[in-house]
């Protein structure tokens, strides 16, 4: 249960965020509702997220796996829920999305994807536990610009996941909505 009211003051700015969120995601996202209690935090977060969306040195699927591995390590169910939905919507392999919490036991991932997720988990640990060999392989395979983006995205997800978890934000049902649109046994098992 959220530790803060999810009915913030309905300022003009918040109403604009509500409109955008409903139009883009089908509902108002709980992190926006929570941070709207402090309009400067909401404004800064919105600007920051728009800026992050323009980063393009790291492959989108690798970025998604790093972000979700970090969120899974922290235990942010809101982030996992939204991450699954967001990446499913853009066409990422559902098996890869589903297996993130148990990626070490899954055959769904390449060696590079495993290094990315291991690096993300190492960065997320307290204190960080970075494997120098994994980092060196990532720099070699991705290049320095993409490695910097990977590192920063994991740090950003740590911020998101820790804020959401501390505020008590949990799954908002995003994943459920994309499961229902599946076909065959996937759709039947979700019903």
């Amino acid at each position: 249960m959220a530790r803060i009211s999810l009915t913030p003051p309905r300022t003009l700015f918040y109403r604009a965020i509500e409109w955008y969120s409903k139009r883009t995601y089908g509902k108002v996202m709980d992190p926006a509702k929570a941070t709207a209690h402090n309009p400067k935090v909401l404004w800064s977060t919105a600007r920051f997220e728009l800026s992050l969306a323009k980063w393009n040195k790291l492959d989108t699927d690798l970025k998604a796996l790093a972000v979700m591995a970090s969120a899974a390590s922290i235990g942010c169910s809101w982030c996992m829920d939204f991450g699954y939905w967001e990446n499913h919507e853009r066409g990422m392999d559902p098996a890869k999305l589903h297996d993130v919490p148990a990626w070490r036991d899954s055959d769904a991932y390449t060696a590079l994807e495993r290094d990315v997720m291991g690096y993300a988990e190492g960065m997320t640990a307290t204190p960080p536990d970075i494997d120098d060999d994994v980092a060196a392989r990532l720099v070699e395979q991705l290049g320095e610009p993409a490695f910097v983006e990977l590192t920063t995205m994991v740090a950003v997800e740590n911020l998101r996941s820790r804020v959401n978890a501390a505020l008590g934000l949990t799954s908002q049902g995003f994943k459920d909505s994309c499961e229902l649109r599946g076909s065959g046994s996937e759709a039947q098992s979700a019903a």
Side-chain angles (χ1 to χ4, degrees), residues 142-159:
L142 300 174
E144 290 178 342
F147 182 73
V148 168
E149 187 169 321
L150 168 64
T151 301
T152 307
M153 281 308 304
V154 172
V156 166
E157 186 54 34
N158 269 260
L159 169 70

Side-chain angles (χ1 to χ4, degrees), residues 17-142:
I17 293 290
E18 274 184 320
W19 173 84
Y20 175 81
S21 187
K22 285 178 185 175
R23 183 172 169 249
T24 307
Y25 308 110
K27 59 181 95 178
V28 182
M29 299 180 352
D30 286 350
K33 293 176 187 178
T35 57
H37 288 283
N38 185 328
K40 288 182 181 180
V41 171
L42 178 60
W43 175 248
S44 295
T45 301
R47 287 187 6 233
F48 184 56
E49 290 292 341
L50 288 171
S51 178
L52 293 173
K54 295 177 185 175
W55 296 359
N56 62 4
K57 299 299 182 192
L58 180 62
D59 173 81
T60 307
D61 283 358
L62 293 177
K63 190 181 306 188
L65 292 173
V67 164
M68 290 185 70
S70 178
S73 291
I74 292 168
C76 180
S77 67
W78 193 93
C79 299
M80 292 300 293
D81 176 47
F82 183 74
Y84 184 95
W85 175 84
E86 176 183 43
N87 292 296
H88 182 273
E89 287 291 302
R90 68 173 187 77
M92 191 169 172
D93 179 354
K96 289 186 180 196
L97 294 169
H98 179 268
D99 286 357
V100 168
W103 65 269
R104 282 182 176 79
D105 300 322
S106 174
D107 295 329
Y109 305 105
T110 66
L112 176 59
E113 291 167 336
R114 289 177 180 286
D115 279 349
V116 164
M117 290 186 286
Y119 182 73
E121 282 187 358
M123 270 190 68
T124 302
T126 303
D129 183 20
I130 306 300
D131 182 313
D132 288 334
D133 292 335
V134 170
R137 284 195 305 268
L138 287 169
V139 170
E140 181 180 322
Q141 292 180 59
L142 300 174

